[in-house]
């Protein structure tokens, strides 16, 4: 007789009536991007060249490598499993690793052309000629001279990231054994430790190339001290003073007596830079932004606005058409005994609008139409006339709000989850949504009804933000992406430039083309317009395109990745900085493209979260749309499909740091007071050079405070919206600098997007757009009374 085994716990029903209290797991996305790597023919040719190198057939190897570099220059080659470089760059890296015999043969073939380009570049101050030396003849005798010249030109122009990138390619002595620059690598080490000092000195002296993915010139004769001095100067210019101090310490280890001509006289490099570093700490901060013309304030997505004064006045407010709710794509996996799992859909969430501001207009998108508002009154600049609501005094402080019963502090009730368990059963319910496994053990006898879960699991509310607005203002023109259905029913995408100073007159129109979609906001410069594209006609590709600003003429089109999509709403956010464009695909790939010609400079993949496995409790986030931010010394990346926050070197694409603690970050706000400011469920302040968390608030879930919306930086203050209020912090100290501003006094709770608007702050709740400032509200103009006709006037018909 066989004995029946006890039945496992069964999940019979999962009702989610108030499930917004959970911090959701992102959907299991089928979207995947892949780098457009080289063909098998190129790989075979490289293998043949490797055979020639092993045999010492240097002449044949050089000829074959130069031919391959010329024919497949811009194709992407996998350097490691997750790092790709153009074939031309990769061939330069290979030649730089050759022994002296092979290097000598290569230079016999390449030096004449390289030297000619270099001399022209110096004579005419032609950076393109110098860049051609680096691109085409990296390991030539002129390669290091060209790198140094390009670094000096970039530093003079204030392009600090670009200068650092060239300097780090000059010598392996600038890199730690793990491949990181000394300014980053020493962030967690103590140079007072003799073992650390000896290790640093050994690497600086030997100049051994640290990793297979490092592009480093093989044998420069430029002194290490001069290179480190320039790196320290780059960090000083960026106001990254701790990083500069670390680089200065390496300089002093390498050669404390090194001298150079500074300010027309010979001086000790270490002493001169020490004095410069001390003086720089008193330098005024960079000029803040007065406008907020695109997402993040600028194309680097790292804008810092001018400081605000008193924000106690509501200067004007206007009602908004509420963004429609939508069912979230996210799911939570409920697991029983680690054997049975069932996804539970999240409740619908609300969207917030993201207004833009530039000089004479505030723009918002409402029901597919862009409205232009007077920033002084909130009234329409053109179109139908309307009257915004009158302003009033904002009620501060709001300490009383903190004492209210917060919804997230309620126990999870039977309406949220129902289980039926066998008599005497014991099982675990795992909510896959946090930095650590969160488990409730259900015990009982013959539980035949709903199981009431206590407050052992605390949930978090999440609000779905409006996708990044596909628009940017430049001058008086609003550049915005729009679409309309064609006769075939497929949307036809285009970019329109409408004149805000001429009642929205259309000035420019650029068609995406059949099967193409402009998938994010444009980056607009004085001469060019850059746009991300999704191209279904090419079998599923992500691309970037450049157009002439005045005519809309296409200048280049660069495909950066192939992609398989699941149809989910997607917003691609280009990030621009110092002649480069960066795109995080939210599908496993990040790419960097040179803005001048569309050449892909590097591409890399990263670790993606995976919520398919029932027992995978990886740290995952609720990011709707990932993005990146161009910061001093780092490209900070926050893809929606990554469990981490990480930074890459903007020039090389090397990983600088990874912060696994900040898994809940869903907004990168910028850098203020030397700190990277990010937000999500909490507010984060992070060292942008090392990735170390320096401040996190609140530090306990028991605080009942949850971020909801996108904040902003103004001066050295951080404005961070939560579900019920706007909190203001000092970026330098992390202390609150103002009384919180109650959102329930500004049209309701739930969160908001915050946009700097001149001297005021735009608060976009789900119902209203409100301008806070210190000016009294604008009183509506009273029309003059109708004049009364005198009895002595003749009849009016004589004037007809």
């Amino acid at each position: 007789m066989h004995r029946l085994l006890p039945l496992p716990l069964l999940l019979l029903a999962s009702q989610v009536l108030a499930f917004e209290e959970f911090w959701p797991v992102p959907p299991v996305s089928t979207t995947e991007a892949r780098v457009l790597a080289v063909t098998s023919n190129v790989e075979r040719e490289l293998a043949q060249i490797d055979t020639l190198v092993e045999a010492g057939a240097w002449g044949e190897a050089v000829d074959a490598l130069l031919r391959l570099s010329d024919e497949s220059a811009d194709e992407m080659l996998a350097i490691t499993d997750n790092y790709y470089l153009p074939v031309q760059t990769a061939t330069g890296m290979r030649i730089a690793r050759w022994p002296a015999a092979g290097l000598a043969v290569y230079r016999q073939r390449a030096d004449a052309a390289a030297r000619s380009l270099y001399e022209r570049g110096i004579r005419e101050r032609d950076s393109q000629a110098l860049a051609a030396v680096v691109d085409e003849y990296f390991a030539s005798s002129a390669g290091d001279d060209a790198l140094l010249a390009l670094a000096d030109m970039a530093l003079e122009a204030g392009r600090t990231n670009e200068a650092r990138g060239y300097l780090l390619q000059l010598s392996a002595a600038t890199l730690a054994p793990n491949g990181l620059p000394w300014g980053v690598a020493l962030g967690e080490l103590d140079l007072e430790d003799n073992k650390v000092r000896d290790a640093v000195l050994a690497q600086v002296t030997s100049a051994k190339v640290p990793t297979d993915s490092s592009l480093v010139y093989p044998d420069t004769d430029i002194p290490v001290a001069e290179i480190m001095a320039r790196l320290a100067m780059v960090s000083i210019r960026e106001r990254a003073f701790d990083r500069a101090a670390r680089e200065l310490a390496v300089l002093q280890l390498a050669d404390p007596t090194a001298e150079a001509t500074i300010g027309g006289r010979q001086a000790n490099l270490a002493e001169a830079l020490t004095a410069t570093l001390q003086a720089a700490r008193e330098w005024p901060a960079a000029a803040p932004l007065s406008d907020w013309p695109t997402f993040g304030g600028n194309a680097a997505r790292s804008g810092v606005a001018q400081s605000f004064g008193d924000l106690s006045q509501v200067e004007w407010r206007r009602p908004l058409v509420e963004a429609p709710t939508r069912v979230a794509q996210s799911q939570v996996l409920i697991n029983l005994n680690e054997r049975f799992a069932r996804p539970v859909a999240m409740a619908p969430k609300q969207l917030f609008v993201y207004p833009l501001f530039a000089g004479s207009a505030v723009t918002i998108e409402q029901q597919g139409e862009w409205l232009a508002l007077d920033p002084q009154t909130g009234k329409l600049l053109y179109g139908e006339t309307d009257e915004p609501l009158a302003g009033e005094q904002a009620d501060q402080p709001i300490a009383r709000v903190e004492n209210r019963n917060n919804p997230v502090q309620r126990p999870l009730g039977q309406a949220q989850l129902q289980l039926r368990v066998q008599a005497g059963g014991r099982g675990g319910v795992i909510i896959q949504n946090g930095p650590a496994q969160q488990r409730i053990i259900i015990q009982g006898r013959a539980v035949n009804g709903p199981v009431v879960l206590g407050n052992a699991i605390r949930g978090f509310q999440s609000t779905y933000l409006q996708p990044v607005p596909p628009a940017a203002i430049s001058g008086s023109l609003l550049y915005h992406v729009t679409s309309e259905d064609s006769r075939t029913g497929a949307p036809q995408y285009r970019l329109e430039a409408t004149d805000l100073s001429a009642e929205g007159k259309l000035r420019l129109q650029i068609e995406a083309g059949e099967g193409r979609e402009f998938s994010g906001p444009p980056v607009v410069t004085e001469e060019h317009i850059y746009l991300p594209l999704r191209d279904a006609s090419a079998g599923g590709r992500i691309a970037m395109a450049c157009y002439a600003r005045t005519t809309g003429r296409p200048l280049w089109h660069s495909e950066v990745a192939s992609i398989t999509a699941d149809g989910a709403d997607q917003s691609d956010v280009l990030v621009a900085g110092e002649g480069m464009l960066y795109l995080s695909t939210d599908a496993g790939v990040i790419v960097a493209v040179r803005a001048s010609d569309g050449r892909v400079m590097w591409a890399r993949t990263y670790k993606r979260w995976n919520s398919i496995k029932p027992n995978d409790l990886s740290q995952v986030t609720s990011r709707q749309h990932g993005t990146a931010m161009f910061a001093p010394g780092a490209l900070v990346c926050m893809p929606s499909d990554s469990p981490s926050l990480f930074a890459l070197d903007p020039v090389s694409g090397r990983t600088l740091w990874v912060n696994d603690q900040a898994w809940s970050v869903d907004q990168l706000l910028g850098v203020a007071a030397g700190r990277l400011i990010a937000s999500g469920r909490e507010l984060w302040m992070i060292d942008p050079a090392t990735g170390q968390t320096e401040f996190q608030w609140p530090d306990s879930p028991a605080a009942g405070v949850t971020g909801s919306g996108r904040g902003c930086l103004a001066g050295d203050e951080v404005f961070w919206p939560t579900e019920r209020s706007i909190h203001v912090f000092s970026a330098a100290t992390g202390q609150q600098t103002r009384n919180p501003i109650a959102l329930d006094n500004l049209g309701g709770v739930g969160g908001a997007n915050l946009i700097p608007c001149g001297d005021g702050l735009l608060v976009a709740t789900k119902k209203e757009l409100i301008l806070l400032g210190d000016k009294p509200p604008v009183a509506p103009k009273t029309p003059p009374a109708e004049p009364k006709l005198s009895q002595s006037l003749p009849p009016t018909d004589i004037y007809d």
Side-chain angles (χ1 to χ4, degrees), residues 50 53 75 79 89 121 209 218 228 262 296 298 307 318 366 368 413 469 474 483-484 675 704 724 785 791:
D50 289 341
V53 170
E75 291 189 56
I79 306 302
T89 304
V209 178
M228 293 305 304
I262 301 175
N298 55 25
S307 299
R318 69 174 290 121
Q366 291 277 268
S474 182
S483 65
E484 63 181 15
R675 285 173 158 179
R724 292 185 171 274
Q791 294 291 333

Side-chain angles (χ1 to χ4, degrees), residues 23-379:
W23 190 256
V25 174
V28 180
S29 174
T30 60
T31 302
E32 181 180 5
R34 294 185 178 181
V35 179
L36 301 175
V38 298
T39 62
S40 57
N41 290 336
V42 173
E43 292 178 340
R44 282 196 296 270
E45 288 188 55
L46 287 169
Q48 294 171 359
I49 293 171
D50 289 341
T51 302
L52 293 173
V53 170
E54 291 175 2
W58 298 116
E60 294 179 63
V62 168
D63 290 341
L65 208 55
L66 289 178
R67 183 179 64 255
L68 180 63
S69 175
D70 184 57
E71 294 174 352
S72 306
D74 295 334
E75 291 189 56
M76 302 302 289
L77 178 67
I79 306 302
T80 65
D81 290 341
N82 65 346
Y83 184 50
Y84 299 78
L85 291 175
V87 167
Q88 193 173 68
T89 304
T91 56
M93 180 187 294
R94 289 187 175 215
I95 295 170
R97 307 282 174 86
W98 283 357
L103 201 56
V105 174
Y106 167 75
R107 286 174 173 172
Q108 289 174 0
R109 310 283 177 87
D111 272 5
R115 182 57 60 179
S116 176
L117 273 173
Y118 170 75
E119 290 175 352
R120 192 184 81 194
I122 295 297
R123 182 176 60 253
E124 301 176 7
R125 290 189 62 82
D126 184 350
S127 59
Q128 291 186 347
L130 294 172
V133 176
V134 174
D135 288 345
E136 301 173 26
Y137 308 107
F138 179 80
S140 69
S141 298
D144 58 341
D145 295 328
L147 286 167
L148 186 64
L150 285 167
D152 287 343
M153 292 170 68
L155 186 56
E156 289 174 8
R159 300 191 301 272
T160 52
N161 280 298
E162 182 182 338
R164 179 183 286 115
Y166 290 128
L167 292 169
L168 292 175
Q169 295 177 37
L170 270 172
S171 172
T174 64
L175 304 173
N178 61 1
L180 295 178
W182 287 121
V184 176
L186 293 177
E188 300 180 0
L189 300 175
D190 182 9
L191 268 177
E192 298 300 320
D193 187 326
N194 289 332
K195 291 183 179 180
V196 174
R197 292 172 66 88
D198 291 344
V200 173
L201 188 57
Q203 171 64 13
V204 171
T205 303
S206 66
K208 181 180 178 181
V209 178
T211 68
D212 292 338
S213 61
S214 298
L215 178 62
V216 178
Y217 191 78
D219 54 358
T220 184
D221 57 358
I222 300 170
V224 175
E226 293 189 15
I227 303 174
M228 293 305 304
R230 285 175 168 82
L231 284 169
M233 197 64 221
V234 166
S235 297
I236 291 172
R237 290 283 296 272
E238 292 175 341
R239 302 181 66 84
F241 300 133
D242 291 342
R243 179 170 184 162
R246 294 189 284 267
E247 290 160 339
L248 179 55
V250 175
L251 184 160
Q252 291 172 318
L253 278 178
D255 187 355
T257 63
E259 294 187 348
T261 302
I262 301 175
R265 64 183 182 85
Q266 201 74 0
N268 179 277
L269 278 175
E271 293 176 357
L273 279 170
T274 299
T276 301
L277 177 58
Q278 292 174 348
R281 296 181 186 276
E282 304 300 324
W283 289 351
L289 299 178
S290 56
D291 291 342
W292 207 260
T294 187
F295 177 75
N298 55 25
R301 315 302 173 190
S302 60
V304 178
Q306 60 191 11
S307 299
F308 298 139
D310 180 26
L311 296 177
S312 61
Q313 295 283 350
V314 175
E315 297 188 14
W316 55 260
R317 60 199 310 164
R318 69 174 290 121
L320 297 174
V321 177
E322 285 194 52
T325 58
R326 69 179 186 186
V327 176
Q329 301 290 329
S330 298
Q331 295 178 338
V332 171
L333 290 179
I334 305 298
N335 300 271
L336 295 177
N337 280 351
E338 302 183 357
R339 296 178 61 183
F340 288 83
R342 180 170 180 173
V344 180
M346 303 299 294
K349 297 298 178 183
Q350 202 73 31
L351 303 179
F352 300 145
V353 299
Y354 189 97
L356 304 176
F357 164 70
S360 60
V362 171
T363 62
I364 54 171
E365 186 179 14
Q366 291 277 268
Q367 296 182 311
E369 180 183 2
W370 284 92
L371 304 180
L373 311 177
D374 185 337
Q376 300 298 320
T377 65
K379 295 182 179 180

Side-chain angles (χ1 to χ4, degrees), residues 331-620:
Q331 295 178 338
V332 171
L333 290 179
I334 305 298
N335 300 271
L336 295 177
N337 280 351
E338 302 183 357
R339 296 178 61 183
F340 288 83
R342 180 170 180 173
V344 180
M346 303 299 294
K349 297 298 178 183
Q350 202 73 31
L351 303 179
F352 300 145
V353 299
Y354 189 97
L356 304 176
F357 164 70
S360 60
V362 171
T363 62
I364 54 171
E365 186 179 14
Q366 291 277 268
Q367 296 182 311
E369 180 183 2
W370 284 92
L371 304 180
L373 311 177
D374 185 337
Q376 300 298 320
T377 65
K379 295 182 179 180
L380 287 173
L381 288 175
Y382 49 85
E384 297 181 5
T385 59
D386 64 354
E387 290 293 336
L389 303 179
E392 71 270 358
Q393 183 77 18
D395 187 10
Q396 295 188 30
I398 60 160
R400 65 182 189 281
V401 174
E402 305 301 329
N403 298 324
R404 294 181 179 179
N405 292 325
N406 196 311
V408 298
Q409 295 174 347
R410 293 198 308 254
L412 303 181
Q414 62 182 26
Q416 295 172 312
L417 181 64
Q418 292 186 1
L419 299 174
R420 188 180 297 274
V421 298
Q422 184 190 4
R426 176 185 175 91
V429 179
I430 302 172
I431 306 301
Q432 182 181 324
N433 70 351
Q437 179 171 310
Q438 299 178 345
R439 185 188 296 268
I440 289 180
I441 302 299
I442 307 299
Q443 301 183 68
R445 297 180 181 178
V447 182
N448 296 317
V451 176
V452 178
L453 306 184
N455 57 4
I457 293 182
R458 182 189 178 281
F460 304 102
Q461 184 169 358
S462 124
T463 302
Y464 279 62
L465 307 181
Q466 181 195 36
V468 177
I473 304 175
S474 182
S476 64
L477 298 183
L478 171 68
Y479 296 81
H480 60 95
V481 174
T482 186
S483 65
E484 63 181 15
D485 291 338
S486 64
R487 294 178 180 176
T488 63
Q492 299 292 321
Y493 290 86
R494 63 181 180 272
L495 178 79
E496 293 182 350
T498 54
D499 196 337
L500 299 175
S501 65
E503 298 190 346
K505 184 176 181 180
L506 182 65
R507 299 296 189 186
L508 180 69
Q509 185 169 290
I510 301 174
E511 301 289 341
E514 191 69 30
R516 294 179 177 179
E517 169 190 354
F518 289 137
S519 54
V523 170
V524 184
T525 67
E526 291 184 1
E527 298 181 354
H528 302 118
I529 303 170
Y530 303 97
L531 282 159
L533 293 101
R534 299 260 169 158
D535 193 346
S537 64
R541 298 290 176 93
I542 300 179
M544 300 185 198
C546 176
Y547 303 88
R549 176 174 174 174
T550 54
T551 64
R553 179 172 60 90
L555 300 178
W556 55 256
H557 178 274
S558 180
E559 294 181 349
V560 299
S562 64
I563 189 166
T564 57
D566 59 1
D569 183 29
Q570 181 63 47
S571 181
D572 295 319
V573 183
L574 288 185
V575 176
E578 298 184 7
M580 296 282 284
L581 299 168
Y582 305 92
L583 177 65
S584 177
T585 63
D586 277 352
V589 174
I590 297 173
V591 293
V593 169
R594 190 160 59 192
S596 60
D597 56 9
R599 187 189 191 213
V600 179
M601 302 301 291
W602 54 260
R604 68 173 306 118
T605 59
Y606 50 85
K607 179 183 177 182
R608 305 181 73 191
W609 59 264
N610 181 358
S611 63
I612 297 176
K613 298 179 182 179
N615 299 315
D616 178 12
L617 296 178
S618 300
Q619 297 175 357
V620 293

